[in-house]
């Protein structure tokens, strides 16, 4: 890939290495085990500091272990995520992001704005998908309305055909164009179940359409593919790859995180 295909705002030192904190089940979730929010917040802040120390440039909090997960969450989840997210923001100097429910973009914006976070990830910003919650409809209007209502400049990172649901119509190019033009997304997230190489090929193809946006690989990146991801994308979101075990709410492994962080050093040299 030539340098001309990289987003103009992305230089070798500007790669977004995003570590996700998969929180334990929160109060209000069907599978909540009684762990207090304060304890979850302490744990999240510790893991966020570990990611920052490892060289990660961004941290994201997610209610990933609430199962079954709602497409739109209710008040207990918003309250808990706000407390946990505020602890994370206070613990690190890197930008913090928020992802809520399976597709609650409006709540994510409200939480992010309240705690001083920088960005939100929205799985289905535009279009319609089918997932574990059933029909998942785009929430671009709700996200834009919440940003306007709060006067928020929180960035919106939108998935292009999000990996845990099945988009019903449109190619990746259509989805990316709609997320950018109609959904007003700031960053586009590309994930392919078939592997990182296919996601990177998709990104190359989307850039070739003159779509002006940063592109982040949304998952499946491992230590064996991080170097090519740094070379060909503007960022990577890492969740399961940096955890101590395969448990949904497993904690960050500092040693593994540090190995990913070192992948950025050659690019910065």
């Amino acid at each position: 890939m030539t340098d001309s295909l990289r987003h103009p705002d992305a230089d070798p030192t500007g790669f977004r290495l995003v570590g996700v904190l998969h929180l334990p089940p929160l109060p209000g979730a069907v599978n909540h085990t009684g762990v207090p929010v304060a304890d979850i917040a302490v744990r999240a802040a510790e893991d966020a500091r570990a990611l920052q120390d490892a060289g990660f440039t961004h941290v994201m909090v997610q209610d990933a272990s609430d199962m079954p997960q709602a497409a739109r969450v209710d008040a207990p989840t918003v309250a808990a995520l706000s407390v946990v997210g505020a602890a994370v923001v206070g613990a690190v100097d890197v930008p913090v992001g928020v992802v809520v429910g399976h597709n609650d973009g409006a709540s994510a914006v409200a939480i992010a704005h309240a705690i001083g976070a920088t960005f939100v990830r929205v799985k289905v910003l535009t279009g319609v998908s089918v997932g574990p919650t059933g029909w998942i409809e785009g929430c671009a209007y709700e996200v834009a309305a919440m940003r306007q209502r709060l006067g928020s400049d929180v960035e919106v990172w939108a998935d292009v055909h999000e990996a845990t649901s099945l988009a019903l119509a449109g190619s990746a190019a259509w989805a990316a164009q709609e997320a950018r033009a109609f959904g007003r997304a700031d960053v586009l997230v590309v994930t392919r179940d078939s592997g990182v190489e296919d996601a990177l090929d998709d990104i190359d193809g989307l850039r070739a359409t003159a779509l002006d946006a940063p592109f982040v690989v949304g998952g499946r990146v491992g230590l064996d593919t991080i170097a090519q991801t740094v070379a060909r994308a503007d960022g990577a979101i890492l969740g399961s790859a940096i955890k101590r075990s395969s448990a949904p709410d497993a904690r960050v492994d500092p040693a593994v995180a540090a190995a990913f962080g070192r992948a950025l050093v050659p690019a910065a040299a």
Side-chain angles (χ1 to χ4, degrees):
M1 173 185 162
T2 64
D3 289 342
S4 63
L5 286 178
R6 293 187 65 82
H7 187 265
D9 293 338
D11 58 36
T13 62
F15 186 86
R16 300 160 175 86
L17 186 62
V18 186
V20 184
L21 305 177
H22 289 159
L23 305 175
L26 299 173
V30 173
N31 61 337
H32 177 57
T33 60
V35 179
V37 174
D39 291 352
I40 297 174
V42 169
R43 161 194 154 143
E46 291 173 352
D47 281 358
R49 283 190 293 268
L51 289 172
Q52 178 175 267
D53 291 345
F56 279 67
T57 65
H58 296 63
V59 174
M60 186 160 61
V61 295
Q62 181 178 8
D63 57 336
S65 302
D66 292 2
M67 291 293 174
Q69 194 174 53
R72 302 287 193 272
V73 303
D74 55 10
T77 300
V78 172
L81 270 174
S82 296
V83 171
V84 175
V88 170
V89 169
V92 296
D93 298 320
V94 299
V96 174
V98 179
V99 57
V100 181
H102 201 80
N103 200 48
D104 200 339
S107 290
V109 170
I111 293 167
H113 182 76
I115 67 176
T118 304
F119 67 101
V120 300
R121 181 181 182 179
V122 182
K123 300 294 188 69
V124 184
L125 184 65
T126 54
V128 178
S129 293
V130 175
T133 59
W135 295 105
I136 308 171
E137 297 185 14
C139 57
Y141 172 79
E142 291 83 357
V143 167
M146 186 62 73
R147 292 171 86 184
Q148 175 68 23
R149 179 179 177 186
L150 297 175
S152 177
D153 60 358
V154 169
E155 287 186 350
V156 175
W157 295 23
D159 280 77
V160 176
H161 288 179
E162 185 263 333
T164 62
S165 60
L166 177 64
L168 292 189
S171 63
W174 178 88
Q177 291 284 357
E178 291 302 313
R180 185 70 165 154
F182 182 82
R184 301 164 64 185
D186 300 287
V187 174
L188 297 176
V189 181
V190 179
T191 310
R192 287 285 296 274
D193 283 332
S194 53
V196 172
E197 182 65 33
D198 286 342
L200 293 172
D201 287 345
D202 279 354
I203 289 173
D204 289 346
L206 292 170
R207 284 201 176 108
T209 67
L211 187 61
D212 180 28
F215 288 94
V216 171
V217 177
R220 315 294 189 266
V221 177
L223 287 171
D224 59 334
T225 54
I226 184 62
Q228 63 178 308
T229 305
V230 171
R232 297 175 60 188
D234 299 311
I237 299 174
L238 305 180
S240 300
I242 55 173
K243 290 160 58 170
R244 295 178 182 176
S245 74
S246 59
D249 60 347
R251 298 193 62 173
V252 168
D253 185 324
V256 175
F260 279 103
R262 286 192 293 272
L264 298 188
V265 175

